[in-house]
Structure formats: C-alpha cells, structure tokens
Amino acid sequence: QVHLVESGGGLVQAGGSLRLSCVASGDNLSRYGMGWFRQALGKEREYVASIDESGETTYYANFVKGRFTISRDNAKNTLYLQMNSLKPEDTAVYYCNADSARPGDDWWGQGTQVTVSS
C-alpha cells in the first residue's frame, strides 16, 4: 500500500508561483509512474501532468504547457509540481497519483487546495 501526502498549496495572486510536493510512503516510488490531477469546484477531476518511473519522460495537458513543470526525486520518494504564471482558472484541489500499471496498484493523495486570485 502506498500513502501519498500532498503539500504546498495556498493562495496566490495571478501571475504568481507555487511548488507542490507529494511525499510517498509504504513502497518504493521508483516502481510507479506518477501524475498530478486537479478538480475545480463543480467540475470533474482532470489530468495535469505525469512523469515516468525514471523521471526521464514527462507529459503535460495543453493548458499547462510552458507554465508547469513536473519532476521527481526517487531518493526522497517525492513528486513535485512547479507552477508558474498561475491563472485564476488554475484554482482547484490538486491530487497526486501513483500508478504501477498493475491491477489495483493505483493510489491517490488527499489533495491540496490551490487558489489563484485575480
């Protein structure tokens, strides 16, 4: 079982930056592809970015390309999301996900709130 804890959310003005962290415990994070998702109030959860097990390959949703950077430190069992040039529409609860691609081996954190004021 993997336990994920996100942190780093908060209130920021438009154009500002935040860095989210997701610390994993219970298993070696290097076995998992990792990702960030978000869910705004009244909307469905949506994909933001992901990174492969080694950290060499990253993927982004079009709406964050050039503004957000996903990274990981397997030695620290930690996933990061650097968010720059934040917009009010980035306001959401951000969730960390770990997925080994094995059936049932898919884990979520409790989320961290990001609020961007205009």
Side-chain angles (χ1 to χ4, degrees):
Q1 185 172 359
V2 176
H3 185 54
L4 303 172
V5 179
E6 301 97 333
S7 62
L11 174 64
V12 64
Q13 288 188 334
S17 298
L18 286 173
R19 188 194 197 201
L20 305 184
S21 299
C22 172
V23 179
S25 59
D27 201 348
N28 187 343
L29 204 61
S30 64
R31 297 175 59 238
Y32 295 83
M34 302 288 295
W36 289 97
F37 293 74
R38 69 187 189 185
Q39 187 167 16
L41 192 63
K43 296 187 178 181
E44 294 186 353
R45 189 173 298 188
E46 64 180 356
Y47 167 82
V48 174
S50 57
I51 188 167
D52 71 352
E53 291 84 344
S54 68
E56 292 181 355
T57 304
T58 58
Y59 307 90
Y60 296 93
N62 287 336
F63 56 77
V64 302
K65 281 183 179 178
R67 300 190 298 126
F68 292 8
T69 302
I70 189 171
S71 61
R72 65 191 296 165
D73 185 338
N74 287 342
K76 295 182 178 179
N77 256 17
T78 303
L79 175 73
Y80 303 99
L81 185 68
Q82 178 66 44
M83 305 187 295
N84 299 328
S85 301
L86 283 161
K87 305 175 182 179
E89 51 263 44
D90 293 319
T91 294
V93 178
Y94 283 71
Y95 296 91
C96 170
N97 173 258
D99 187 355
S100 72
R102 287 178 289 273
D105 202 9
D106 180 16
W107 309 96
W108 293 88
Q110 83 292 345
T112 185
Q113 176 71 47
V114 172
T115 303
V116 185
S117 63
S118 57

